[in-house]
Amino acid sequence: MIFPTVPAFRMASDSPVRVERTESVLTLTIDRPGRLNALDVPSFRRLRLELEAAALDRSLRCVLLTGAGTAFCAGGDVAVMEEHRAQGTLDRLFHELTGEQELSVRTIMNMPKPVVAALPGVAAGGGLSLALACDWRIASEAALLVPAFPQLGAVPDGGLTYLLPHYLGTGGAQELLFQNARLSAESARSLGLVHEICPPAGLAARALERARQLSEGPTQEYGNLKQLMLSAFSQSLDSQMVLERRFAVEAA
């Protein structure tokens, strides 16, 4: 069945997440360009709800996550953090904000279909966690990957201390975090944090093309592959091979 390119849900024009469907691909665009798509609690909650809905929709075969304007996501909204700091409620904000972020990251990583991240610009802090949770990352030549937490005097969250060591090894993650490195698209590509790079003007089209290609593939097997790669972080070799055999039998 072919679906036209139309908004998937009726949402207010000021929604922090724009939702569009193209055939069996759902595009979620974090739409707060004036704040470099930084997220507060309500906007993170909206993103999490849209991700959960996409995970449950069997007619969708791939999700594309991106940001409006010149940024992917600058993490948590620092302006909101400063307001709560002045009010003495920063700890409460962090509890709610990181809770929504954790649910979003888990949903992406456990989603039984591929999730593509298109990075038009900066992916910082929690935004970097969201990007690394995705299965395929395409960056524009202007993209910048920044942990950001050290300069804020904060502890990494959103699974960043889980994801970076597995992509880079402990030493590589330490180097990136302790130095608060700012990785260009080319540097990120050389480290395996980005799969493709393209000119900024071609990012949206290239990301949608990749998402469409993945949507035409074996969705169930992609979901099983995601589970296998995720379980490999914590399983023994024997347990991992048992899980591989189970999925192989199911796919036969």
Side-chain angles (χ1 to χ4, degrees):
M1 181 179 294
I2 302 299
F3 297 89
T5 303
V6 295
F9 307 102
R10 293 185 179 274
M11 301 175 63
S13 59
D14 60 350
S15 171
V17 180
R18 192 165 69 245
V19 185
E20 297 172 287
R21 180 165 185 160
T22 305
E23 300 174 0
S24 57
V25 175
L26 190 74
T27 300
L28 300 178
T29 303
I30 303 171
D31 197 8
R32 305 185 82 209
R35 293 184 179 270
L36 295 179
N37 300 318
L39 295 165
D40 55 12
V41 173
S43 52
F44 236 133
R45 183 172 295 121
R46 171 51 58 188
L47 176 61
R48 187 255 301 173
L49 290 171
E50 297 297 353
L51 287 167
E52 290 177 347
L56 293 172
D57 188 341
R58 293 188 178 183
S59 70
L60 292 173
R61 298 172 64 89
C62 188
V63 173
L64 171 58
L65 179 62
T66 190
T70 59
F72 175 70
C73 175
D77 192 326
V78 176
V80 174
M81 294 179 193
E82 290 304 318
E83 291 174 6
H84 280 265
R85 188 191 304 276
Q87 297 167 9
T89 56
L90 187 59
D91 56 345
R92 186 188 311 166
L93 172 69
F94 268 48
H95 180 74
E96 293 184 40
L97 188 66
T98 56
E100 291 295 341
Q101 180 177 245
E102 290 162 13
L103 290 170
S104 297
V105 167
R106 285 195 192 101
T107 301
I108 291 171
M109 296 185 72
N110 290 306
M111 192 175 297
K113 62 198 75 175
V115 182
V116 175
L119 314 180
V122 67
L128 180 57
S129 297
L130 285 174
L132 294 180
C134 296
D135 306 300
W136 195 270
R137 288 168 294 283
I138 305 175
S140 86
E141 295 167 343
L144 198 63
L145 279 64
V146 187
F149 293 100
Q151 72 185 48
L152 296 174
V155 175
D157 53 34
L160 196 61
T161 59
Y162 176 86
L163 292 163
L164 280 177
H166 288 289
Y167 284 125
L168 305 177
T170 301
Q174 288 171 325
E175 182 176 355
L176 191 63
L177 290 168
F178 289 169
Q179 296 190 84
N180 194 35
R182 299 166 64 86
L183 296 179
S184 66
E186 287 290 349
S187 296
R189 176 72 179 89
S190 70
L191 292 172
L193 298 179
V194 164
H195 299 93
E196 299 179 58
I197 301 174
C198 67
L203 177 65
R206 177 60 192 141
L208 183 57
E209 179 185 7
R210 173 61 68 186
R212 277 174 157 162
Q213 289 172 349
L214 289 169
S215 74
E216 294 169 358
T219 305
Q220 181 176 340
E221 282 64 37
Y222 286 152
N224 290 343
L225 181 58
K226 289 179 66 167
Q227 286 189 51
L228 285 168
M229 289 191 289
L230 187 59
S231 67
F233 291 165
S234 58
Q235 296 283 356
S236 67
L237 174 61
D238 287 343
S239 297
Q240 187 72 4
M241 289 193 294
V242 168
L243 189 58
E244 288 175 340
R245 183 170 72 247
R246 186 190 115 194
F247 286 146
V249 170
E250 290 177 357

